[in-house]
Amino acid sequence: MSRDKFELTDNIMYLKGVGPRKAAALNKIGIKTFYDFLTHYPRGYEDECILSDISALTVGEVEAVEGHLSNIRSRQARNGLLIINALLGDDFDYVQLTWFNQKYLLNTLKNGMRLFVKGKVTESYSNGNLLAMQVHSYEILDEDEEPNLGIAPIYASTASLSQKFFRTAMSNLMTKMPELDEILPPEIIARYDLMSLDEAMRAIHFPSDRDEMEQARRRLAFDELFLIQCGLLLIKQQAQDDQLGIKHAPDGRLMRAALEALPFALTGDQRSVLEEITSDMESDRPMRRLIQGDVGSGKTAVAMLALVKTVASGNQGVLMAPTEILAMQHYEKFSAMLEPLGIRIGLLTGQVTRAKKRRETAYEKIASGEFDIVIGTHALIEEGVQFRRLGLVVTDEQHRFGVTQRAVLEQKSERRPDMLVMTATPIPRTMTLTVYGDLDVSQIKELPPGRKPITTTVKRQAQRRRVYEFVMDELDRGRQAYVVCPLIEPSESERLEGVRSAEEVFEELSKGMFATVDCALLHGRMKPREKDEVMERFRAGEFRLLVSTTVIEVGVDVPNASVMVVEHAERFGLATLHQLRGRVGRGSDAAYCILISDTKNDVGVERLEIMETTSNGFQLAEEDLRLRGPGQFFGEAQHGLPDLKIADVFRDLGMLKEAREAAEEFMSDKKNLARYARLSKKLYVAYGDKFVSMQNA
Ligand code: ADP
Ligand code: MG
């Protein structure tokens, strides 16, 4: 099939050198179109070579030289191998070239020809004064032509597709591809000194040297980051522009009363975050703010005040928690603090919704505005729930909800409510922009005064008995303990590796050392009601030792729990370990976290050591990022953002800031999207579904 018109969306099958069979193999690695192939960027490059003088060659090295050919000869070796020899000479010296079994070369190579060759340097057997070279590759040069020292791309591939195939097909694509149109505004290209898109797309595959490759990479990475930032800003703008937000009244009597009712003074960080929230809420642009802060840093306290503020302006507020039991806990705290001030608190969880009578009453009180603040779970986003005057939506632990679910809540009122998101996931500062680029970010870094730090220690399996004796001592002192395991039940493959599951550990402890203690088991496969019951009884002190999986990560306050043991600690991410650790030390007593691990892996050991020495969640996240690289980290943190093919948020941090800055400027002029249609189209393709869900949900 011949095609005259070239479209990047064409089926890869029609590229010269591909065809149906190779196309099928490419499809398997996600390459369906010319464009997919073009953006299948090399995962590395074969080493750049330096042109040497023949007199400077070193035996054993792979080197590159150029010169003129003479004395071309061939002979048949005893084993049938055809050997071609020739001399290559530059101004000072000669080297003997050798090709094996390439008969056709006898027609190609001519005496007097100028040649550029790469190959391995050896001693010569036939001529003791000369060095020899086994030729890996050669290029015939015109008299005035510069040899191409270029580096060869290496592609992520599969067994059926060779590097040679990729290189040839890619080179065919380059030949066929007309000059690519620029998509970035010229000002941005000039300001950040970027290569053109066309040049970059070609050079990323076939750079002439490392420097050109770096320039190409930089340009393509910039595009990715710039597009993400534009997309996030677009989401933010759409949310803020298509409706005016609620202009909250300045603080009055009720806010003062709430501040006085708090049993503590706000920390400096809490105060400044509250100020940022206050000014957002009093403006008529809808607030979209994230509060980032370690477990226990006092985010909920700030959110509570923001909810009081919306009530003081005659609105309703809503707080959505990730689990029923957390919602209950918030509900109790809020009721105790705010009901005396005349604020009516409602609860809407699955449990409430399941009982028809209770559900109807709750829906009614929400719709009529009888509840000022409603606290709940996913049950809040069900269809029947309508608010009378929703002024503020707070979601707790945002990584458990998608952008879309948040959007649904925002739609439950005629006007667009302000929005506040709380997260304890310690995303490194360096990544906040990428992951939360559609939100303004406030951070609470200091913990409320008087917190005892949690003593964290790493122990080996051999010390397990001693560890549990220590736990027993704590229980004897009236405290409670958590034991966390990476798996729920014994799995065949894991058992081989000696990994203990929660069920096994529970059996072992509750029948062994802790036979006289009330123990309980908690994991994610239990029914929500069972989980809540176990957690509730643990909180009430009926259970003293709780063996569980990470379900307790987003947890309930049990101030009396003073010690946590984590089995096979190397199997958890640092962020998770830190979140888990936050479950103890909620009271005023000394608290302990003991990480059991036999890992011998260097990175594994270093990560656990960091847990011992660092109690700051943000610092810890930065370290984790450094050790594990951004891929894994980013994967966990991002929600539905397009994958980065070439940018690396860690390495390209400086560029991320530039891209953000450029995106802010670009998006601040509404006409730009119309002016740069190709860019807008790309944006729409990447983010269009999000706009739709924001608007129609
Ligand atoms: P987070 O939501 O960040 O996990 P919370 O708001 O639940 O934190 O606060 C954790 C605990 O610290 C709660 O018991 C809360 O009452 C208490 N607390 C919050 N702010 C302060 C403060 N400024 N001083 C003393 N205690 C505080
Ligand atoms: Mg919390």
Side-chain angles (χ1 to χ4, degrees):
M1 180 166 181
S2 88
R3 309 194 128 212
D4 308 313
K5 255 188 95 227
F6 177 97
E7 294 288 346
L8 282 171
T9 48
D10 285 348
N11 191 323
I12 190 62
M13 184 163 81
Y14 301 120
L15 180 64
K16 187 175 162 205
V18 179
R21 221 168 45 82
K22 293 269 200 273
L26 286 170
N27 286 179
K28 284 212 187 93
I29 54 172
I31 300 172
K32 301 205 162 71
T33 64
F34 285 7
Y35 182 77
D36 295 337
F37 195 60
L38 182 65
T39 54
H40 186 66
Y41 301 124
R43 64 170 169 76
Y45 298 87
E46 245 158 37
D47 261 347
E48 168 177 29
C49 63
I50 297 166
L51 194 61
S52 302
D53 286 336
I54 292 175
S55 57
L57 291 176
T58 312
V59 171
E61 299 289 306
V62 173
E63 302 212 61
V65 288
E66 53 117 359
H68 288 91
L69 217 50
S70 59
N71 287 48
I72 302 172
R73 263 176 294 178
S74 67
R75 64 191 163 89
Q76 205 82 35
R78 243 169 290 153
N79 58 7
L81 207 63
L82 176 77
I83 300 174
I84 300 175
N85 285 124
L87 288 182
L88 186 78
D90 60 14
D91 295 342
F92 305 101
D93 211 343
Y94 289 94
V95 60
Q96 184 179 54
L97 303 181
T98 310
W99 285 269
F100 297 106
N101 252 5
Q102 296 175 62
K103 189 159 187 229
Y104 65 93
L105 283 179
L106 288 172
N107 295 324
T108 313
L109 301 174
K110 304 269 184 282
N111 285 324
M113 197 174 240
R114 187 160 167 253
L115 217 58
F116 167 62
V117 294
K118 278 190 224 176
K120 184 159 184 199
V121 183
T122 60
E123 310 274 4
S124 166
Y125 298 108
S126 51
N127 188 333
N129 296 324
L130 286 183
L131 287 184
M133 178 181 270
Q134 289 169 18
V135 179
H136 294 169
S137 70
Y138 73 95
E139 190 187 346
I140 299 164
L141 298 177
D142 289 336
E143 277 311 310
D144 52 1
E145 194 178 342
E146 288 288 321
N148 180 11
L149 298 169
I151 46 183
I154 303 171
Y155 294 95
S157 182
T158 60
S160 60
L161 299 168
S162 69
Q163 291 300 327
K164 186 158 180 235
F165 158 75
F166 271 102
R167 289 172 192 169
T168 312
M170 194 63 79
S171 154
N172 292 341
L173 179 64
M174 298 287 140
T175 312
K176 195 174 174 193
M177 184 171 81
E179 186 176 336
L180 293 173
D181 294 331
E182 187 48 67
I183 70 163
L184 288 183
E187 309 87 76
I188 292 183
I189 294 192
R191 181 169 343 131
Y192 299 102
D193 194 18
L194 300 171
M195 211 178 221
S196 79
L197 181 63
D198 184 70
E199 230 184 317
M201 275 297 187
R202 293 173 198 274
I204 198 70
H205 294 288
F206 301 109
S208 52
D209 53 36
R210 289 269 159 190
D211 188 51
E212 195 182 67
M213 182 272 286
E214 266 312 320
Q215 289 304 317
R217 203 193 72 81
R218 179 162 172 273
R219 158 66 208 246
L220 298 172
F222 187 94
D223 278 18
E224 277 186 348
L225 297 173
F226 178 76
L227 275 168
I228 286 193
Q229 290 309 320
C230 285
L232 289 168
L233 287 169
L234 198 54
I235 292 175
K236 185 172 166 184
Q237 281 181 2
Q238 296 232 332
Q240 290 185 325
D241 290 353
D242 56 44
Q243 262 175 311
L244 271 191
I246 297 164
K247 200 172 157 103
H248 285 88
D251 289 352
R253 188 196 54 80
L254 194 57
M255 272 305 272
R256 281 194 296 277
L259 278 163
E260 270 165 32
L262 281 181
F264 45 75
L266 294 182
T267 63
D269 279 357
Q270 281 175 313
R271 269 205 312 275
S272 55
V273 170
L274 185 61
E275 269 166 34
E276 290 171 323
I277 292 171
T278 302
S279 100
D280 283 355
M281 287 179 73
E282 290 176 8
S283 107
D284 59 11
R285 295 185 57 199
M287 169 166 77
R288 298 175 61 79
R289 186 167 288 281
L290 174 79
I291 313 183
Q292 240 187 337
D294 254 350
V295 177
S297 60
K299 298 180 294 295
T300 311
V302 172
M304 180 197 281
L305 292 167
L307 286 163
V308 170
K309 185 172 175 71
T310 206
V311 173
S313 288
N315 302 302
Q316 290 167 293
V318 59
L319 171 62
M320 183 156 77
T323 65
E324 191 139 325
I325 189 152
L326 262 177
M328 276 297 295
Q329 191 171 33
H330 288 321
Y331 173 72
E332 280 167 19
K333 275 197 180 171
F334 277 48
S335 302
M337 281 262 316
L338 302 180
E339 298 254 348
L341 306 180
I343 298 176
R344 295 153 303 180
I345 317 284
L347 178 69
L348 191 65
T349 59
Q351 209 181 348
V352 174
T353 321
R354 274 190 296 274
K356 187 159 178 265
K357 206 49 178 286
R358 289 181 71 191
R359 178 180 66 220
E360 280 169 1
T361 317
Y363 282 10
E364 212 177 279
K365 289 185 168 179
I366 294 171
S368 69
E370 201 170 315
F371 284 148
D372 296 307
I373 296 175
V374 186
I375 296 173
T377 55
H378 282 88
L380 284 165
I381 62 179
E382 272 164 33
E383 215 167 294
V385 185
Q386 272 304 327
F387 289 82
R388 195 175 69 85
R389 259 175 86 84
L390 191 53
L392 175 65
V393 174
V394 180
T395 50
D396 185 4
E397 309 292 357
Q398 105 124 28
H399 60 297
R400 310 273 150 155
F401 302 110
V403 174
T404 327
Q405 284 169 318
R406 228 162 56 203
V408 174
L409 252 185
E410 289 170 52
Q411 306 293 329
K412 288 202 172 283
S413 184
E414 271 168 36
R415 293 162 317 157
R416 184 175 283 279
D418 281 336
M419 190 193 77
L420 192 61
V421 176
M422 302 188 281
T423 179
T425 307
I427 291 185
R429 247 189 322 280
T430 51
M431 281 173 77
T432 311
L433 263 190
T434 316
V435 180
Y436 293 117
D438 64 325
L439 306 176
D440 297 315
V441 179
S442 298
Q443 291 186 335
I444 302 182
K445 289 182 191 153
E446 65 185 313
L447 289 182
R451 290 282 162 78
K452 290 266 183 342
I454 302 161
T455 309
T456 302
T457 45
V458 180
K459 299 282 181 199
R460 310 204 67 85
Q461 293 281 356
Q463 296 163 294
R464 226 169 141 250
R465 181 151 189 104
R466 294 263 304 281
V467 168
Y468 282 111
E469 280 167 8
F470 175 79
V471 170
M472 190 53 113
D473 288 345
E474 284 292 298
L475 298 186
D476 284 343
R477 294 178 50 230
R479 305 281 167 252
Q480 288 165 276
Y482 295 99
V483 177
V484 183
C485 305
L487 308 168
I488 298 177
E489 53 195 25
S491 96
E492 273 311 314
S493 59
E494 308 274 8
R495 202 202 313 259
L496 295 175
E497 295 172 38
V499 176
R500 291 188 183 80
S501 68
E503 282 180 353
E504 284 170 314
V505 170
F506 175 71
E507 284 292 300
E508 176 200 340
L509 296 180
S510 64
K511 298 211 170 118
M513 269 180 86
F514 296 86
T516 59
V517 174
D518 290 309
C519 301
L521 174 67
L522 182 73
H523 59 70
R525 228 175 285 153
M526 289 162 60
K527 294 209 181 74
R529 233 179 302 185
E530 290 169 1
K531 276 194 283 193
D532 286 352
E533 193 193 318
V534 169
M535 208 54 227
E536 191 46 49
R537 292 176 64 185
F538 183 63
R539 178 157 76 129
E542 281 177 50
F543 294 130
R544 312 293 308 289
L545 181 99
L546 184 64
V547 178
S548 111
T549 55
T550 53
V551 287
I552 57 158
E553 177 190 356
V554 178
V556 174
D557 265 356
V558 183
N560 192 46
S562 64
V563 53
M564 170 177 290
V565 177
V566 182
E567 298 265 2
H568 307 287
E570 75 282 356
R571 299 188 146 236
F572 299 89
L574 288 195
T576 303
L577 284 177
H578 184 64
Q579 293 266 85
L580 284 170
R581 174 165 76 173
R583 298 290 111 226
V584 293
R586 310 286 288 194
S588 50
D589 278 296
Y592 306 91
C593 174
I594 305 164
L595 306 173
I596 301 182
S597 173
D598 268 358
T599 183
K600 292 186 181 66
N601 173 299
D602 282 350
V603 168
V605 170
E606 201 183 334
R607 289 174 67 231
L608 294 180
E609 279 170 0
I610 289 168
M611 286 298 297
E612 285 183 319
T613 52
T614 310
S615 60
N616 177 307
F618 291 102
Q619 200 180 328
L620 224 140
E622 300 275 1
E623 292 288 340
D624 206 16
L625 180 63
R626 180 177 64 78
L627 287 170
R628 287 200 296 169
Q632 224 170 339
F633 208 102
F634 198 60
E636 282 168 22
Q638 74 174 354
H639 1 262
L641 296 179
D643 282 343
L644 295 174
K645 279 188 163 178
I646 196 163
D648 171 335
V649 278
F650 194 41
R651 175 172 156 190
D652 297 327
L653 174 63
M655 201 195 299
L656 176 59
K657 287 191 186 128
E658 289 175 351
R660 174 69 177 193
E661 184 184 283
E664 271 170 357
E665 196 178 314
F666 180 80
M667 295 298 292
S668 70
D669 183 349
K670 296 274 151 59
K671 290 193 215 85
N672 272 340
L673 281 180
R675 217 174 277 155
Y676 295 96
R678 285 169 41 78
L679 184 72
S680 323
K681 190 171 157 222
K682 263 190 138 92
L683 268 177
Y684 189 79
V685 170
Y687 298 95
D689 57 329
K690 294 213 177 57
F691 307 147
V692 173
S693 70
M694 299 289 295
Q695 280 161 353
N696 304 342

